[in-house]
Each structure stands twice: as structure tokens, then as C-alpha cells.
Amino acid sequence: MSEVHKDYAGAKFGMWLFLFTELLLFGGLFILYGVYLHRYPEEFVKAGGELNVVFGAVNTLVLLTSSLAVAMSITALQKGNRRLTLVLLAVTIASALIFLVNKYFEWSAKIHHGLYPDSPHLKELAPGESVFFGLYYVTTGLHGLHVVIGGALLAWVFVQVRSGRVHAEDFVALENSGLYWHLVDLIWIFIFPLYYLIL
Amino acid sequence: MAETHLQATAPDRGFLTPREDYSGLFSWIFSTDHKRIGLLYFWSIVTFFLTGVTLGLLIRLELFLPGKTIVEAQTYNAMFTLHGVIMIFLFIIPGIPAAFGNLVLPIQIGAKDVAFPRLNLLSWWLYAIGAAMALGSLFSGGGAPDTGWTFYVPFSVQTTTNVSLAAFAVFILGFSSILTGLNFITTIHRMRAPGMSWGRLPLFIWSLYATAWVQVLATPILGITLALVLVERLLGTGLFDPTRGGDPIMFQHLFWIYSHPAVYIMVLPGMGVISDIIPVFARKPAFGYKAIAVSSIAIAAAGSLVWGHHMFTSGMSDMAVLVFSLLTFVVAIPSAVKVFNWVATLYKGSISLDPPLLFALSFILLFAIGGLTGLVLGAPATDVHVHDTHFVVGHFHYTMFGGTGMAFFAAMHYWLPKIYGRMYNKRIATIAWGLIFVGFNVLYLSMKVVGMQGMPRRYYDYIPEFTRLNQLATVGSWILGIGVFLMFFNLIRGTFRGQPVGDNPWGGATLEWTTSSPPPTENFEVDPVVTHGPYDFKAAGIL
Ligand code: HEM
Ligand SMILES: [Cu+2]
């Protein structure tokens, strides 16, 4: 195209729309959660008791910190402080990794106890508990996938900032990746109470 | 393509002119020009449509006689599944928005391109990948999927055929659809030319706008539903399995929460095409512009609340059945508003019966028949009788094929001369239209009647009493098939050999008719400023 023009408002508008579709994607799972909780309240409480609040709480803290870091990195870039931007982005990416490692340990422990989809142990439990764990794995798995994607996106932006292609006058790539990361955080803020706290 | 030969007869080939940056095919599949992407979509969609038609003809051939006619039962199951998947996900959903939306949306609002040209190219690539996977599911794994396009559990989780790949393919196609919708919404909000107020948007744009919202808001639900079928198959999570506390009815809810609104993704753009065509060929401003525009939004909104009418016989509370039935009837209102406005636009117009209008008129008639038989299905008492019979198959072919399919054909005959700068043979186009119209009604009316008599859908065999009507339907499918192939033959010949047409062969007043045919790469030589409404033929200097 002859003239390269950038429409920031348009780019952000598009990103918001996309985030909306992501929310709806998880919305389907939350609907199932609602219906099955309504149907099996006791089994859900029993199965939910198996989840370790410490793992969930640590991950919540990690994500909240990372959301703060990415928000600050945008301000830093706007002020032209590239070094600080890079440090803050590194913190965010590191948080994503910590989150995933933590999730790995959490899942390993569950699997070790024979609690995984299609496991013989689950088949012996009441149907409601089986459904609970099915939802637990699908929801946190899908969320984990989003953490991976968000982390990769931020790593890409990190490279762009370092090479100077994303800078104080042209930072919509960072802003949109930041928005994506906030979404990942936001969804977790729903998952955490639903699975770890209220049951 | 015989480039040199063509350049001799048509001096300016606009955006079709070969590019320097990439050569040949690559200048198309890596192009970010919305018109090139539109044509990529168009020709891939047409290819799949013809594949789907061929499968449809084979299905009908098998049903010519009771018992085995040409294939075994398992092959039959695979055939109607693939026919459904192709027609729904590769033809009718992307059809008008992705092909004609991409071709004309930016031109109609006076923009150089869509808001995100590279995302637009990505959408097409996703479409191509999804389509390749859907076809690949035929030849890999445990064989061609046999679930029907709805992938209903528990069968879709238990069958050993290659449902996983097919479901994943549809997931990718959904992603492509979302990106197109997102792109269009942003484009319409941000890229309108000076003077192109919301009140001056062509009605086609209004319909694409409403469609795009449905694409963005409904498709993610389909994504998660199919993802769940995938994990059920791969990991056995049991979310839809009653023995583990799951519920297959929940699958149906999730599936239809998407798939009923998807009906509007299919039909709204078609209505938009019709709303654009009728004023041009009646030489009159669209009657009730506002009502048509608003009814698009109303259909999109109300249509999102009626999914339960697919499940009257699946076991829902009586209250739920009542509410869903009522809401279903409500959607008929904005659709009827449109039909009345089209008819009012035609009333006392000076009508020229060119091919685009012929297809537009058959849209109105066939869609109305489809809509009315829809009410039979929307009322629980009658639905119980005809549920899952050929009556249903007749009904949705009337709405989807008779509706959106005809609108797609109308759009081809309306806009291709603009895009290629050449006109097809109008007499052959009219003959093809006649064959299609007659064949269509013979085929699907017979299917409705035999369905009413009790012939179930998705059945390989039937009792001898149904033979006569099935044979009639099959003969209808032959007439229809000949018409379809004649139509495409004529169009393809026209795009290569047809008479060059000027900028405005039909006398339209929307912006695309003010630029050259084919349009230049940047759409307009001079950036347009809009001074009148889309159907103000006087102000455009046409009347
Ligand atoms: C020449 C054209 C066509 C013919 C002869 C044809 C024929 C048929 C027949 C006989 C069936 C019923 C199979 C059964 O229930 O046993 C069927 C199913 C179906 N058709 Fe078509 N059709 C044609 C075009 C189309 C078009 C244009 C569309 C979409 C817009 C379409 C969408 C479908 C769908 C969604 C099904 C349901 C498949 C399923 O049950 O899973 N068809 N078609
Ligand atoms: Cu429906």
C-alpha cells in the first residue's frame, strides 16, 4: 500500500473486540460450571476441597503482579524510558513462566493422586466429582494455553522494543499485548474463586 | 490466464493487473488488497460450493430407489456429513460476507482497504487451512466423519471415524469468521469517507455490520463446544457423558447457542444484497431505508435468543419450550418488515428484469416459503410431528439455498461485471436462472411433502410408499444441477471473454459504481466525498 498510516484508535478497538470473543470462549465453560454446580452442589464441594488453595493463591499473586508490571511498562515506554520498559516486560514474562511452573506442580500432584480425566480413580467417584475435575482440567488448561500465548506475545514485543521498532511514538503493539495480558489475568480472577475458594 | 490477450481488449485492468512484487499465484495468495482477497475467497467458495452440489446430487441419486442404489450406508452417512459441513462452513457462512463483503465493503464506504489488511489475509489463510483439514478428514484417521454437520454427542465422541480432525477444522474456520467480522466492524466504524454518515450507509453495509456482530459474539461459543468434543474424544473428560455426570443436552444448548445465530450470519448478508439490488432495478429509492437497517440489527439481536427451538423434542421444561417458541415467532417480524419494504420498493417502479433482479426476486419468494415452513417447526405441537424428517431438510434448503444461495447468485450477477469489467451473456444467465428456479422447487417441495408423510432425514433407505416423491425430487436435482453448472459456465466465460462494460452498467447510485471497472488498486483515483444517500438516483445524476 502506498501510504503507511496507522490508526491507533482502530487498532485498539479491534483488540477490544477480540478480547470480547476470548471472554465468550471461556463463557461457554462458565455456563457449564453454573449448570453442573446447580445439579451437583454436594459433589462439587467435596471435589473442590481437593484443590490446594495455596497453589491458586500464589498464582493469583503472580498474575496480579505481572498485570501491574505490564501496565507500568506501557507508561515507561510512553515516557521514553526503554530500559525500564524492558525490565518491566521481563518481569511480566518471568511471571508467566512462574505461573506455568506452579501449574505444572499443581497438576502433577493431582495426577499423582489419580485425579485426571478418564482415570480409574475418577470413575469410582460420584459422577458430579468426575464432572468437576473434567471442568477443572479443561478450564485451567485453556487458561494455561492463554498464558503461553500471552507470554509469547510479550516476548515478541520485548524484542520489538529492544530493537526500537516499538517506541514512545508507536507503542500500540505493546498496549494491545498488555490488554491481552490483562484479559488472561481477568479470567483467572474468575477461575480462582469459582474453583478454589467458594467450594 | 491469457493476460496479453485480455489486455488487448480491455485497456485498464485496474487491480487485476499483474503485480511486480510477487509473480503469478503469489501475487494473489500474499496480497493484502481487499479485492484480491475477496476474489480468493470467491473462487475458493465457488469451488467448494460445486463440490457440495456434486455431493448433493449423489445423495439424491442414492435416494432415487429404496435400498442400495449407488453406495453403501456408511458412505451415504459420510456423504451427507461432508455435504453439510461443506455447505454450512465453507459455503454459506463465509459466502457473502467474506467474498462480496471483502470485494465491495471498502469501496461502498469510500475506503482504500479494510482496517486490518494483513489480518484479512490471515483470515483467508485460516479459511484455506480449515478447508484443507475438513477435506483431509475424509482420507485420514478412521475414515470420513459420519456424524452429520452438527457433531451431536454422544455419537460424535464414540464413532471411530475422523471426527477430531473435522471438528478442529471447523474450529479454525470459526476463527477465520471471527477475524473477518472484527475487521468489518472496525472498518465500518473507522474508515468511512467524508460525508458517509450512518444514515447514508448502503443497506448491504448495514447487514454486514449486523452480521459481523453476530460473527464476533456467537462464534466463540461454537469454538468452545467443538474444543470440548475434541477433549472428550482425546482425553475422556466426560463433560457430556451421563455416566460421569455430564449431560449431552448441554452440548445441544451450546451448539445451538451458536448455530441458530449462525443462521443469521448466513441470511442477513443475503438480505443486504437484495436490499441493494432491488432499488437499482426498480429505479426507485429503497422504501423504508431506516426500517430495513434497523430490522437487520433486530434480527441479529432477537435471533440470538431462540436457539432452544432446535431442542423441543430433546427434553426441556414446558416453560422453556413455550418461551423459545414465542421468541422464535418474534424473529419473523423484522424479517417480514424487510419483505414488505422490498415489495413496496418494487411497487410502481420501472422494473428491468436483469439477471440480478431475477435472482433477487426468487430470493424473496423462496425465503418467504422457507420462513413460513419455519413457523411450522417453531410451534412445538407441529414440530413434534415433522422433527428430523425431510420436511426439515426441505425447510432449511428453502431458507439457506433458496435464500442465501440465491442472494449469492444475485450478488455474482450484480457485482462481477464491476470487478472484472466484463459482462456475461444475459440470455444464458436468464435460462440458467429458470432451470435453477424450477429444479429447486421440484426438488425441495417434494422433499417437504415426503417429510410430511414421515420420511426421516439422514436415512439411507425408505419404505416403498415414498418412492414416487423421492424420484421426483431426484429429477428436480438434475434440473437444478444443470442450471447451476450452466450459470457458472456463463459467468466464467463472461469474466474472460465478455463485452467490456462501463463504470456503471446497472445505473447504481452507491459508491462502487463511481469508480472504474475493474477498480484501481486504491479503489478511487480521487478520494470520494459523499454528498447523497445510497439510493438517491436523482442526486447521483442517474435519473
Ligand atoms: C444441488 C444442490 C443440493 C442438493 C441436491 C442437496 C441435497 C440434500 C439432501 C438430499 C440432503 C438430505 C440428506 C439426508 O438427510 O439424508 C441434504 C442435506 C443437507 N444439505 Fe443439501 N443439497 C443441495 C444444496 C445445499 C446447499 C446450497 C446447502 C447450504 C446452503 C445445503 C445444506 C445442507 C445441509 C446443512 C444438510 C444437512 C446435512 C446433515 O443432515 O448433516 N445443501 N442436502
Ligand atoms: Cu434455529
Side-chain angles (χ1 to χ4, degrees):
Chain A
M1 297 284 97
S2 59
E3 65 190 276
V4 182
H5 84 115
K6 287 210 169 178
D7 175 7
Y8 279 146
K12 272 209 289 188
F13 186 87
M15 192 64 194
W16 275 105
L17 279 178
F18 180 69
L19 295 182
F20 222 68
T21 67
E22 291 274 25
L23 268 183
L24 286 162
L25 187 73
F26 281 91
L29 291 172
F30 288 134
I31 291 176
L32 284 184
Y33 181 94
V35 172
Y36 289 142
L37 173 64
H38 179 72
R39 199 170 297 177
Y40 309 107
E42 276 138 45
E43 288 86 344
F44 263 48
V45 171
K46 188 149 171 281
E50 296 277 328
L51 296 189
N52 189 332
V53 186
V54 178
F55 276 120
V58 169
N59 266 349
T60 309
L61 278 178
V62 169
L63 277 190
L64 285 176
T65 320
S66 69
S67 245
L68 180 67
V70 84
M72 283 165 65
S73 79
I74 298 173
T75 324
L77 191 66
Q78 280 169 330
K79 291 194 178 142
N81 192 341
R82 201 164 80 183
R83 267 196 71 81
L84 184 59
T85 311
L86 289 175
V87 171
L88 286 166
L89 273 177
V91 171
T92 316
I93 297 165
S95 308
L97 290 175
I98 296 173
F99 181 96
L100 290 171
V101 170
N102 196 16
K103 179 108 287 169
Y104 169 78
F105 283 123
E106 187 189 357
W107 274 26
S108 312
K110 287 275 147 341
I111 292 170
H112 189 75
H113 285 103
L115 294 169
Y116 55 89
D118 222 15
S119 69
H121 181 49
L122 262 196
K123 281 180 185 154
E124 286 163 14
L125 296 179
E129 293 179 56
S130 173
V131 158
F132 177 85
F133 282 107
L135 271 174
Y136 162 77
Y137 275 103
V138 173
T139 314
T140 56
L142 189 65
H143 178 264
L145 187 66
H146 280 72
V147 173
V148 173
I149 297 171
L153 205 63
L154 289 167
W156 171 77
V157 171
F158 182 90
V159 175
Q160 299 289 312
V161 173
R162 207 176 51 178
S163 70
R165 263 174 302 218
V166 168
H167 50 79
E169 267 78 56
D170 180 358
F171 53 84
V172 74
L174 173 60
E175 227 181 339
N176 274 348
S177 313
L179 276 178
Y180 189 84
W181 192 253
H182 290 320
L183 174 91
V184 171
D185 188 14
L186 178 75
I187 290 172
W188 180 258
I189 297 298
F190 280 97
I191 295 178
F192 179 54
L194 284 181
Y195 285 86
Y196 295 80
L197 291 184
I198 62 170
L199 296 173
Chain B
M1 268 188 273
E3 299 290 355
T4 45
H5 161 75
L6 283 179
Q7 256 153 355
T9 47
D12 187 359
R13 303 234 305 133
F15 78 100
L16 296 168
T17 313
R19 301 269 170 105
E20 292 95 53
D21 41 0
Y22 290 105
S23 63
L25 185 63
F26 290 111
S27 77
W28 287 87
I29 61 174
F30 293 133
S31 172
T32 53
D33 179 349
H34 68 95
K35 298 179 290 303
R36 289 197 165 210
I37 295 175
L39 281 182
L40 280 180
Y41 265 117
F42 178 74
W43 288 113
S44 13
I45 285 167
V46 165
T47 310
F48 290 118
F49 173 69
L50 291 177
T51 317
V53 166
T54 310
L55 282 163
L57 292 174
L58 289 174
I59 296 173
R60 279 305 341 160
L61 196 58
E62 170 54 46
L63 295 178
F64 193 71
L65 291 170
K68 182 185 161 180
T69 313
I70 53 169
V71 293
E72 295 296 337
Q74 182 64 24
T75 316
Y76 182 84
N77 293 350
M79 268 182 354
F80 75 67
T81 301
L82 193 69
H83 171 76
V85 168
I86 287 184
M87 287 303 196
I88 296 288
F89 297 111
L90 298 180
F91 168 62
I92 209 97
I93 287 182
I96 295 179
F100 291 103
N102 266 313
L103 281 169
V104 301
L105 180 141
I107 317 187
Q108 278 199 333
I109 63 170
K112 287 196 165 70
D113 207 322
V114 291
F116 309 114
R118 277 187 298 173
L119 200 65
N120 204 15
L121 181 63
L122 176 67
S123 303
W124 181 78
W125 272 96
L126 288 175
Y127 173 81
I129 293 169
M133 282 167 47
L135 294 185
S137 70
L138 277 185
F139 308 108
S140 54
D146 54 355
T147 57
W149 72 277
T150 50
F151 300 111
Y152 265 23
V153 299
F155 184 63
S156 62
V157 174
Q158 288 161 359
T159 175
T160 55
T161 58
N162 207 355
V163 170
S164 304
L165 189 61
F168 194 49
V170 173
F171 184 86
I172 305 262
L173 291 168
F175 206 51
S176 160
S177 178
I178 288 178
L179 293 182
T180 303
L182 190 156
N183 217 336
F184 284 0
I185 296 178
T186 314
T187 308
I188 295 170
H189 271 274
R190 309 275 323 158
M191 317 254 308
R192 283 170 287 134
M196 177 58 80
S197 58
W198 288 88
R200 284 183 184 160
L201 284 183
L203 287 165
F204 181 49
I205 304 294
W206 268 111
S207 73
L208 285 179
Y209 183 69
T211 308
W213 276 107
V214 184
Q215 281 177 299
V216 166
L217 297 180
T219 317
I221 310 285
L222 176 72
I224 193 67
T225 313
L226 292 177
L228 285 175
V229 170
L230 263 180
V231 289
E232 293 269 336
R233 283 179 66 86
L234 300 178
L235 304 174
T237 38
L239 292 182
F240 300 131
D241 179 354
T243 61
R244 303 188 203 176
D247 183 351
I249 303 289
M250 285 313 291
F251 172 90
Q252 295 189 17
H253 275 295
L254 289 177
F255 183 83
W256 287 111
I257 287 178
Y258 165 78
S259 293
H260 188 85
V263 171
Y264 301 106
I265 302 180
M266 303 172 203
V267 79
L268 273 171
M271 294 174 154
V273 171
I274 305 307
S275 305
D276 257 20
I277 287 181
I278 295 223
V280 173
F281 292 87
R283 297 251 159 278
K284 262 179 70 200
F287 179 87
Y289 170 92
K290 274 216 186 95
I292 301 185
V294 171
S295 64
S296 286
I297 310 287
I299 290 177
S304 303
L305 302 172
V306 304
W307 74 87
H309 61 209
H310 294 271
M311 299 158 61
F312 287 159
T313 59
S314 303
M316 272 195 297
S317 73
D318 288 349
M319 192 59 200
V321 169
L322 203 72
V323 171
F324 278 123
S325 174
L326 181 75
L327 287 169
T328 302
F329 278 72
V330 168
V331 189
I333 298 171
S335 307
V337 166
K338 279 188 198 288
V339 173
F340 288 134
N341 281 301
W342 293 326
V343 175
T345 308
L346 287 165
Y347 180 67
K348 285 194 177 163
S350 63
I351 292 170
S352 40
L353 268 183
D354 282 311
L357 186 66
L358 287 175
F359 283 107
L361 293 177
S362 31
F363 170 100
I364 300 180
L365 183 70
L366 300 177
F367 183 75
I369 298 178
L372 290 175
T373 49
L375 295 180
V376 175
L377 301 169
T382 40
D383 178 60
V384 171
H385 177 63
V386 290
H387 184 81
D388 266 344
T389 64
H390 265 67
F391 183 84
V392 176
V393 184
H395 153 72
F396 67 64
H397 281 89
Y398 263 94
T399 50
M400 289 190 297
F401 192 179
T404 313
M406 293 302 148
F408 188 82
F409 298 165
M412 297 193 303
H413 288 86
Y414 184 55
W415 279 310
L416 280 192
K418 176 85 230 164
I419 299 301
Y420 283 102
R422 289 165 183 281
M423 185 60 81
Y424 43 82
N425 181 320
K426 286 191 199 168
R427 232 170 63 87
I428 300 184
T430 308
I431 296 172
W433 168 80
L435 288 170
I436 291 175
F437 188 78
V438 172
F440 183 98
N441 283 298
V442 172
L443 166 58
Y444 296 116
L445 213 54
S446 319
M447 275 164 66
K448 273 191 191 176
V449 177
V450 81
M452 198 92 88
Q453 294 176 354
M455 170 153 165
R457 70 189 283 204
R458 293 177 174 171
Y459 269 39
Y460 169 70
D461 197 0
Y462 53 83
I463 53 174
E465 283 83 342
F466 296 147
T467 312
R468 182 73 55 79
L469 279 165
N470 271 299
Q471 288 181 340
L472 194 60
T474 303
V475 172
S477 78
W478 296 336
I479 305 174
L480 175 60
I482 294 171
V484 167
F485 283 100
L486 182 65
M487 174 179 74
F488 279 107
F489 165 78
N490 183 37
L491 278 175
I492 292 170
R493 215 179 65 130
T495 62
F496 286 116
R497 301 248 161 79
Q499 289 292 323
V501 284
D503 295 349
N504 194 356
W506 311 118
T510 38
L511 276 183
E512 75 270 31
W513 305 107
T514 61
T515 188
S516 55
S517 313
T521 302
E522 304 260 271
N523 292 345
F524 299 95
E525 300 296 343
V526 184
D527 287 346
V529 176
V530 182
T531 53
H532 58 78
Y535 311 107
D536 193 341
F537 298 99
K538 280 212 184 70
I542 291 159
L543 282 185

